[in-house]
Amino acid sequence: MNPIGSWRRLAFLAALSAAAAGCAVWNLPLPQEPGLHPQLTPYSYLEEGRLVSFLVDTEAARRREDRPLVPLAVGVANIGLDHLTLTRESFTLVDDAGRRYAMAGVDEVRRGGPLPSYDRRLSAHAEGAFTGRFPFWPAVPAAFFPGVEEGLADSRVQLPQRSKMFTLLYFPHPAGRWLGRRYELWLDAAELEEPVFVKFAVR
């Protein structure tokens, strides 16, 4: 056998083995903590309701202890409503002392540099896991905080029934230390009889 061809075959098989091992790790059941929502990935938490599926991912958030703004990646799927209208006022962060935080302004994020694109890449695994739960549902573009290169920010996103979105939100850094604490992210909309929320931790 050609030694170069043999080496390439071994390298290819090693890559396949590593990929399979990585998948096996990610597919292991995740520990569920009392008082928190179930985890979909090691850093994301999921509320699976009758009307709405709501995911919060903290992979980017846990790297922002020293920043005035913190990112949370969110996934929303409209399961049972004719449509679901989301605005910048639809999301509220609540810390473990009950303090409530509205979303930061677009200009605040842009003054800090083009981080949204980087933070979105950090949340890629959670995005894949969430959108993969609804593989045939269309993804609605949503950019409440676009990167500098991505143009204008959305002020309103409408999800028809059986559609989904995944995007980044930024909030003011909660009072005190960010890491090692528990939070809630609330979602409200005119079409919902009552808000839905996710209880999560940042570690």
Side-chain angles (χ1 to χ4, degrees):
M1 178 182 290
N2 185 323
I4 296 178
S6 177
W7 179 86
R8 286 178 176 167
R9 176 179 169 80
L10 288 173
F12 176 71
L13 291 175
L16 284 180
S17 177
C23 291
V25 171
W26 288 113
N27 289 332
L28 288 174
L30 293 167
Q32 305 303 315
E33 296 185 47
L36 299 178
H37 272 75
Q39 290 177 253
L40 183 62
T41 71
Y43 300 107
S44 66
Y45 300 79
L46 179 68
E47 160 63 20
E48 190 72 276
R50 179 177 55 86
L51 300 178
V52 173
S53 181
F54 184 26
L55 178 90
V56 176
D57 179 61
T58 66
E59 174 63 45
R62 66 194 193 93
R63 303 165 188 259
R64 294 291 181 266
E65 181 66 85
D66 60 345
R67 297 272 184 156
L69 301 175
V70 292
L72 293 171
V74 300
V76 181
N78 179 2
I79 297 172
L81 298 166
D82 287 340
H83 61 273
L84 177 65
T85 306
L86 302 175
T87 68
R88 302 181 60 80
E89 291 73 37
S90 294
F91 300 92
T92 303
L93 177 65
V94 182
D95 69 15
D96 51 8
R99 291 179 288 253
R100 302 171 70 84
Y101 303 86
M103 272 206 283
V106 175
D107 288 342
E108 291 181 82
V109 175
R110 283 183 168 156
R111 282 196 297 269
L115 286 177
S117 298
Y118 172 71
D119 292 336
R120 181 69 178 257
R121 289 196 296 272
L122 291 177
S123 302
H125 180 73
E127 180 174 9
F130 180 75
T131 58
R133 296 173 66 84
F134 313 95
F136 303 111
W137 292 16
V140 175
F144 290 108
F145 295 95
V148 169
E149 73 283 4
E150 295 170 338
L152 298 175
D154 291 321
S155 59
R156 180 175 178 271
V157 175
Q158 188 165 87
L159 297 179
Q161 189 173 20
R162 298 175 67 82
S163 69
K164 63 197 176 188
M165 76 167 200
F166 192 92
T167 193
L168 274 171
L169 308 179
Y170 285 84
F171 293 89
H173 191 299
R177 185 172 173 80
W178 170 238
L179 288 169
R181 294 168 59 191
R182 295 185 174 200
Y183 304 88
E184 297 175 1
L185 187 64
W186 287 68
L187 182 158
D188 200 4
E191 298 86 1
L192 291 169
E193 292 185 1
E194 57 185 22
V196 297
F197 60 90
V198 175
K199 295 184 176 183
F200 64 97
V202 179
R203 298 192 174 91

